[in-house]
Amino acid sequence: MLTTFAGTLSCSVATGHIFHVRAKSIDDAERVDIAFQADKSGESDALLHLSIRYEDQRIVRNARLGGQWQQPEHECEPSSAKVLQRIVTGKVFTVYVLVGDQQFHVAFEGTPICSYPIKGPLAEIKAITITKDVHQVLSVDHRQSFPFPYPALQKEDSAHYFSNDVPKPFLPGHIIILTAIPFGNPRGTFIVKFNENGSKKQALHFNPRFDPYYVVVRNSHASDALDFRQEERTGGFPFIMDQQFKLAIGLAEQEFKFAINGSKFETYTYKTHRQLDVLNGFRIECTNGLQLEVTAVDHYYSGVPNCAGFEEYSHPDVDIM
């Protein structure tokens, strides 16, 4: 199965930021491209374009500026030869990109392999795309290492189906739009989790349960002992197997707000004072054979603290570039 990913970032890119991408290629892959772009369109300028080439076991770096491709760079550090041998089709891979003051520093499977000059303003990077021979996207994390690490815990967690960290605390009025397709076992579930300060304590547990329940459970942990509160189950069940949905999550002043495919769904009141200060992104977990094809995560700051009108961003015909 082929898929793609295209998402807008939560904030401007700066020196000291880190991108962590985990994905899996198809079994007969020729290449997977990861691009840091001005927008999500296919012809957008890109300050960094990484192309993982499977036949040659190399990673080609380039940039597209003013609509024109620059000179590609093919060579990697001599010491990285063994690491590049791990570029194998049908396998999960991990790419790290550290934004330096003059160069992007690229690591593959935890080992530094190459760099590429920064040829324009970092503020021009507004989106990330993952395309070509992609089977599954597992992590698109945007983190900060300087002047202090954020999130504080920056570890790879393969237990989750998908992750999306952000490098700065959320402000009231921030909207996250998740685009995905549920497939696989219709008796399974998926869970969108917002954890507090990288801990296991969940500030939000958003859990659509398919056959036979057809209910969306909202909950959170009441203490560090990870005991859950009373579940909230109202609102019906707006998800359909094998059909794409767009879920908008509005981070308002006092509550999470949800909208699906253009319609308001429900809310979940924050249980902690200054809740947004301790959130740094979300994780998705899938259970009992259900799978989720995540094709986009868009971040949009509305500037409206109560997220009024946020539901429009979940409409299938509305896209954030």
Side-chain angles (χ1 to χ4, degrees):
M1 180 181 71
L2 275 172
T3 190
T4 60
F5 179 91
T8 55
L9 301 178
S10 64
C11 66
S12 298
V13 178
T15 300
H17 283 197
I18 297 172
F19 291 93
H20 166 228
V21 174
R22 290 180 68 237
K24 181 180 180 181
S25 69
I26 60 174
D27 289 337
D28 56 350
E30 295 181 2
R31 62 191 281 186
V32 171
D33 292 350
I34 304 170
F36 300 85
Q37 305 187 169
D39 60 49
K40 298 193 300 183
S41 66
E43 300 303 318
S44 172
D45 279 2
L47 279 190
L48 178 64
H49 183 280
L50 301 175
S51 185
I52 301 172
R53 306 293 176 89
Y54 284 88
E55 183 176 358
D56 301 333
Q57 291 186 313
R58 60 193 173 111
I59 298 180
V60 179
R61 291 85 65 200
N62 207 341
R64 182 164 50 200
L65 306 176
Q68 300 296 318
W69 286 107
Q70 306 299 293
Q71 188 67 27
E73 295 188 6
H74 303 261
E75 299 302 321
C76 289
E77 299 290 342
S79 59
S80 66
K82 288 186 177 180
V83 178
L84 293 176
Q85 290 175 7
R86 297 169 67 182
I87 297 179
V88 179
T89 60
K91 301 293 184 181
V92 175
F93 64 85
T94 302
V95 170
Y96 286 93
V97 177
L98 169 64
V99 182
D101 54 356
Q102 296 182 3
Q103 299 189 67
F104 297 104
H105 301 276
V106 181
F108 185 80
E109 301 296 358
T111 300
I113 59 169
C114 60
S115 60
Y116 188 75
I118 299 174
K119 299 184 176 182
L122 292 173
E124 293 184 359
I125 300 176
K126 301 291 181 61
I128 181 170
T129 63
I130 306 170
T131 57
K132 301 299 184 185
D133 300 328
V134 185
H135 173 70
Q136 182 183 4
V137 177
L138 299 161
S139 297
V140 184
D141 295 320
H142 180 190
R143 301 166 174 167
Q144 174 179 282
S145 63
F146 177 85
F148 55 86
Y150 194 91
L153 298 176
Q154 302 190 15
K155 63 181 181 179
E156 183 175 315
D157 187 355
S158 57
H160 287 101
Y161 196 84
F162 180 83
S163 66
N164 186 250
D165 287 340
V166 299
K168 293 183 178 180
F170 294 114
L171 296 174
H174 193 104
I175 302 167
I176 301 171
I177 306 98
L178 168 68
T179 305
I181 303 171
F183 66 98
N185 184 3
R187 299 183 71 87
T189 74
F190 71 89
I191 308 165
V192 180
K193 303 177 180 180
F194 284 77
N195 294 67
E196 295 188 0
N197 284 330
S199 70
K200 293 183 179 181
K201 184 179 180 182
Q202 297 177 39
L204 174 67
H205 180 97
F206 183 91
N207 179 202
R209 300 177 183 177
F210 289 78
D211 186 32
Y213 306 104
Y214 297 106
V215 64
V216 180
V217 172
R218 285 91 61 200
N219 210 335
S220 59
H221 286 142
S223 69
D224 292 338
L226 308 185
D227 50 316
F228 278 106
R229 305 174 191 273
Q230 185 69 33
E231 292 181 347
E232 297 183 11
R233 291 171 165 249
T234 57
F237 193 79
F239 299 95
I240 301 174
M241 288 293 294
D242 300 313
Q243 290 192 23
Q244 178 176 283
F245 67 83
K246 288 181 72 174
L247 167 65
I249 303 175
L251 306 179
E253 294 172 293
Q254 303 295 330
E255 61 188 358
F256 296 98
K257 293 185 172 183
F258 309 102
I260 299 166
N261 296 337
S263 299
K264 290 182 180 180
F265 177 61
E266 278 288 351
T267 63
Y268 189 77
T269 303
Y270 300 148
K271 309 304 181 185
T272 301
H273 180 61
R274 298 182 65 87
Q275 181 71 87
L276 297 183
D277 290 352
V278 296
L279 305 183
N280 47 249
F282 68 91
R283 301 282 188 274
I284 295 176
E285 179 183 340
C286 294
T287 69
N288 199 29
L290 183 136
Q291 299 182 60
L292 205 63
E293 181 186 355
V294 179
T295 59
V297 175
D298 292 307
H299 291 268
Y300 179 73
Y301 178 62
S302 67
V304 182
N306 68 354
C307 295
F310 82 105
E311 65 274 9
E312 70 176 283
Y313 298 104
S314 72
H315 193 282
D317 295 334
V318 175
D319 196 13
I320 297 174
M321 296 303 292

